[in-house]
Amino acid sequence: MSTPHLLSIAGRLADVAAAHSLPLFRTPLAVDLKADASPVTLADREAEAAMRTMLRAELPDHGILGEEHGRERLDAPHVWVLDPIDGTKSFITGSPLWGTLIALMHQGRVQLGLVDMPVLKERWVGVVGEGAWCNGQPVRVSGCTALDQARIFTTSPDVFSAEEWPRFDALSRRCALRRFGGDCYSYAQLAGGTVDLVVEASLQPYDYLAVAGLVQAAGGVMTDWQGQPLTMDSDGRVVAAATPALHQAALAMLGG
């Protein structure tokens, strides 16, 4: 399947998701808690259901892994990984920094990653080995190689366990600037060269696979805390960096 065709499908999936989520943004919505105590709304469920309907109609032999509606045919050569609203806490509190994440896996590795920011009207797309773009314009990571020059992000201290937090705290205090918040947008900023390092934990495959595709396509490095490639079975602790040297420096302080 050609890259333009895959990009077209990913873009239309993002359009379908936004058509269901954006009209509900900053409107009264019931918020339910899932088994892991994370919030979910009608917007999350309807956006993913619409994406699944499209994929089943157009690519019935492809697999699907979604945050809200589970797994289908994960043994297929191609699997789409969907997060209809990454940053549901941002969504329900009126922050614009939520997005739709779409990854295409081929034989277990990320081939394409899309981060759509409907409120910001920014669409970030990366094809591993071919490049990355924001709204059609090429983007690339910064050339930062040293921690003391790095701008580091994480979504919240709450993503870390009591054992993980001191490691992140020590690492981030070595950096030039540390910021909290951003959800998936932090990885887009890294792909665009305005952030140098993102470190998180407690993520699920639909949280990290699309952004890994984008970061890698933009020339960056993204692995787990042991430096291993990210797969559907990774433990949810991730390090995304602008350069291999910065990545290695971060891994050394996180200590796996």
Side-chain angles (χ1 to χ4, degrees), residues 175-198:
C175 295
L177 172 73
R178 79 171 181 176
R179 298 287 293 167
F180 296 93
D183 297 299
C184 58
Y185 195 55
S186 300
Y187 300 92
Q189 291 170 279
L190 194 153
T194 59
V195 167
D196 309 301
L197 194 58
V198 182

Side-chain angles (χ1 to χ4, degrees), residues 16-17 20-21 24 29-35 38-53 67-69 82-85 88 91:
V16 164
H20 286 79
S21 59
L24 295 174
L29 274 179
V31 179
D32 299 321
L33 291 181
K34 294 188 282 190
S38 63
V40 63
T41 72
L42 180 67
D44 301 78
R45 295 187 179 111
E46 289 196 345
E48 183 177 317
M51 287 193 285
R52 284 174 175 268
T53 296
E67 178 171 11
E68 309 305 337
H69 299 295
L82 311 174
D83 190 346
I85 298 179
T88 299
F91 186 91

Side-chain angles (χ1 to χ4, degrees), residues 26-181:
R26 293 180 178 165
T27 67
L29 274 179
V31 179
D32 299 321
L33 291 181
K34 294 188 282 190
D36 64 357
S38 63
V40 63
T41 72
L42 180 67
D44 301 78
R45 295 187 179 111
E46 289 196 345
E48 183 177 317
M51 287 193 285
R52 284 174 175 268
T53 296
M54 178 186 149
L55 282 173
R56 291 185 193 118
E58 296 200 19
L59 299 167
D61 58 334
H62 284 207
I64 305 173
L65 170 64
E67 178 171 11
E68 309 305 337
H69 299 295
R71 302 168 171 234
E72 298 179 30
R73 296 180 302 280
L74 294 195
D75 57 345
H78 289 91
V79 177
W80 294 86
V81 183
L82 311 174
D83 190 346
I85 298 179
D86 182 84
T88 299
K89 292 176 182 177
S90 293
F91 186 91
I92 63 178
T93 54
S95 167
L97 298 183
W98 56 273
T100 295
L101 302 183
I102 300 168
L104 176 61
M105 309 289 289
H106 181 244
Q107 304 292 1
R109 293 299 177 95
V110 183
Q111 181 178 0
L112 177 153
L114 181 149
V115 177
D116 191 54
M117 307 296 295
V119 182
L120 302 183
K121 294 180 168 51
E122 293 180 6
R123 182 166 296 174
W124 302 74
V125 185
V127 179
V128 176
E130 297 189 30
W133 304 267
C134 176
N135 293 348
Q137 297 301 308
V139 295
R140 187 158 182 85
V141 294
S142 76
C144 182
T145 59
L147 289 175
D148 62 4
Q149 298 173 9
R151 300 155 292 184
I152 186 171
F153 267 66
T154 197
T155 294
S156 169
D158 296 337
V159 304
F160 301 104
S161 69
E163 186 267 335
E164 292 161 349
W165 167 252
R167 297 196 234 173
F168 173 80
D169 188 44
L171 166 63
S172 59
R173 291 184 185 279
R174 286 279 304 276
C175 295
L177 172 73
R178 79 171 181 176
R179 298 287 293 167
F180 296 93

